[in-house]
Amino acid sequence: MFDWRWDFTFEILPRLLWATVNTLMAAGIGYAIAVVLGLVLALAQRTSFKPLTYAVRELVEFIRSTPLVLQIFFVFYVGPQFGIRLAPWTAGMIAIGLHYASYLSEVYRGGLESVPKGQWEASLALNLSPARTYFRIIIPQALPPSLAGMGNYLVGIFKDTPMLSVIGVAELMHTANAIGSESYRFLEPYTLVGVIFLAISLPTAALIRVFEAWVRRQLGMN
Amino acid sequence: MSYFEFLAEYGPRFVDGAAVTALQTVLAAVLAIAIAVAMGLMRLSRNVPVRWFATVYVEIFRGTSLLVQLYWIFFVLPLFGITMEKFTAGFVAVGMNLGAYGAELVRGAILSVPKGQWEAALALNMSPAKRMVRVIFPQAFLAMLPPWGNLLIELLKGTALVSLISVADLMFEAKQINSTTFLSAQAFGTALVIYYVMSRFLITPFMRWLERVMARKMGRA
């Protein structure tokens, strides 16, 4: 390409690769929060206490249908108004974790609902405790249909981390912006960010498909 | 300042912002649908270069972030002589990104049409174009409507990012109001509620209505 400077590319590459570590960390922490919180949100909708079900259902719908970037701003700026100061990292992890928790809760819900009713009845007939029913009977069967969705959202959370740059989390996009405003060169940093994203998300998506097939085989489902 | 005073003073700006968001959403949706249909069909083509072009397009746009694509289109494309106004760059980026996701829906829906339909159209000596337009696509269209509802909500949410290249949409107005009043809960909270109303009470009912109408037209109601 006519204006591409390789010397500049190699000058900024180490900096971008370091920022990639932050991006991966943000995605990892956010996903860990989402996996656990999502299960809580999914199970909260399965209790016999109806008001809780409706409240959680509505909360999940609300979070899913509003923009993540706005939620990040909301979490970051609303705290100080009431005297709670959150660091950009903390606010970012809360926002992105909560956002993806609501997506994952839907994945779990679908997985749990795909387990045939007879499995619950059989567990009841065998006098298994609720905990044992969940961990030994239901979740192993609910997991494989959930894995594809969980994998998609793992890649999804990774691709949404650039939004954290708006509150100053020093991830990949934030670093590319900084390089751009220091050097007035946008071609190389932004293109490299795109290439790094592709180089991580494509193999990850392929690995997830392999992993999913492996789990299904392990559980004897194919 | 009570919340009602806040709304009285800043309500009109929220309305202006929401109008820009709605316009961005509609324009991006039109572009996304066009790209999705074109790329979805191209991915099923028997012509290898055509299929490869569509695959590369879909993988690039699904493999990187919308924000990265938006910045690339707005800040880097001008270096190649393609300068777009920020408003145009905004809906083009959102439309191209969601179009790649839509292409997969189109492809999947076309593949889900039973094989007998293809064979019957062939037996009736229909040309490939007529087969697609009259027999296959209408059935695929019905099958892909529900996931398109979700995709359009993703698209609406995606338009919030155009505020970062200072298109004066809902998100942008909320940020501006926040920085002049420091009433963050009110400013961002109101914007969140407006986005929620748009997706839950405009897009979702519209798609349900469209599903019903199309099902009736296809004699499947």
Side-chain angles (χ1 to χ4, degrees), chain B residues 1 3 17 22 38 64 68 70 90 94 110 114 116 134 162 175 195 216:
Chain B
M1 197 194 303
Y3 185 60
T64 60
V68 178
L70 179 69
V94 177
I110 288 175
R134 300 295 300 272
V162 303
K175 256 188 342 188
Y195 275 110
R216 217 173 21 241

Side-chain angles (χ1 to χ4, degrees), chain A residues 168-221:
Chain A
V169 173
E171 46 67 70
L172 203 42
M173 199 71 221
H174 191 264
T175 309
N177 284 338
I179 293 172
S181 53
E182 284 161 20
S183 62
Y184 300 103
R185 291 190 68 84
F186 293 98
L187 172 63
E188 293 88 352
Y190 285 152
T191 309
L192 283 175
V193 170
V195 171
I196 293 173
F197 266 96
L198 270 182
I200 296 174
S201 68
L202 291 183
T204 309
L207 271 181
I208 287 166
R209 277 194 295 274
V210 172
F211 177 69
E212 200 196 325
W214 179 79
V215 170
R216 293 187 77 97
R217 253 198 326 275
Q218 290 297 306
L219 291 166
M221 296 189 86

Side-chain angles (χ1 to χ4, degrees), chain A residues 39 80 101 103 124-125 131 144 153 155 161 163 172 187 192:
Chain A
L39 193 59
Y103 275 108
L124 197 68
Y153 288 128
V155 180
T161 52
M163 291 191 205
L172 203 42
L187 172 63
L192 283 175

Side-chain angles (χ1 to χ4, degrees), chain A residues 2 58 62 64-67 70 73-74 77-78 81 103 159 162 166 173 177 186-187 191 194 201-202, chain B residues 59 62-65 67 71-72 76 79 101 154 157 164 171 175 184-186 188 192 195-196 199-200:
Chain A
F2 58 94
E58 210 49 42
F62 187 87
R64 266 162 33 106
S65 40
T66 50
L70 186 52
F73 272 112
F74 187 88
Y77 284 104
V78 168
Q81 202 181 347
Y103 275 108
K159 285 186 290 184
V166 296
M173 199 71 221
N177 284 338
F186 293 98
L187 172 63
T191 309
S201 68
L202 291 183
Chain B
E59 293 297 341
R62 296 201 325 163
T64 60
S65 313
L67 187 54
Y71 279 4
W72 209 88
V76 178
L79 303 176
Y101 287 90
E154 292 298 321
K157 287 159 59 182
L164 300 177
M171 168 88 209
K175 256 188 342 188
S184 308
Q186 288 89 328
F188 292 128
L192 279 172
Y195 275 110
Y196 180 61
S199 58
R200 194 79 197 279

Side-chain angles (χ1 to χ4, degrees), chain B residues 24-204:
Chain B
Q24 283 274 334
T25 304
V26 170
L27 291 171
V30 170
L31 182 64
I33 291 167
I35 290 176
V37 172
M39 292 295 163
L41 290 175
M42 282 164 72
R43 286 206 66 179
L44 293 166
S45 164
R46 250 177 297 174
N47 185 321
V48 176
V50 166
R51 199 169 63 225
W52 266 90
F53 176 79
T55 306
V56 168
Y57 177 89
V58 168
E59 293 297 341
I60 286 182
F61 276 88
R62 296 201 325 163
T64 60
S65 313
L66 173 54
L67 187 54
V68 178
Q69 292 154 20
L70 179 69
Y71 279 4
W72 209 88
I73 287 175
F74 189 63
F75 292 109
V76 178
L77 270 191
L79 303 176
F80 294 89
I82 306 168
T83 307
M84 277 185 252
E85 236 188 296
K86 56 193 180 187
F87 185 87
T88 317
F91 77 79
V92 165
V94 177
M96 288 181 83
N97 177 269
L98 272 300
Y101 287 90
E104 289 299 277
L105 295 185
V106 172
R107 192 176 77 101
I110 288 175
L111 288 176
S112 78
V113 175
K115 211 153 177 270
Q117 300 286 325
W118 296 81
E119 289 161 358
L122 195 69
L124 290 171
N125 198 24
M126 285 186 174
S127 69
K130 191 169 180 184
R131 182 177 63 194
M132 185 52 79
V133 174
R134 300 295 300 272
V135 180
I136 306 300
F137 198 81
Q139 299 183 62
F141 185 69
L142 202 59
M144 70 175 113
L145 272 180
W148 265 103
N150 286 331
L151 201 65
L152 287 181
I153 291 175
E154 292 298 321
L155 190 145
L156 167 71
K157 287 159 59 182
T159 62
L161 289 178
V162 303
S163 65
L164 300 177
I165 57 170
S166 25
V167 176
D169 74 334
L170 183 52
M171 168 88 209
F172 186 82
E173 294 291 353
K175 256 188 342 188
Q176 295 280 310
I177 294 166
N178 175 60
S179 60
T180 49
T181 63
F182 298 107
L183 296 168
S184 308
Q186 288 89 328
F188 292 128
T190 308
L192 279 172
V193 170
I194 296 174
Y195 275 110
Y196 180 61
V197 168
M198 283 173 138
S199 58
R200 194 79 197 279
F201 301 106
L202 288 176
I203 295 180
T204 307

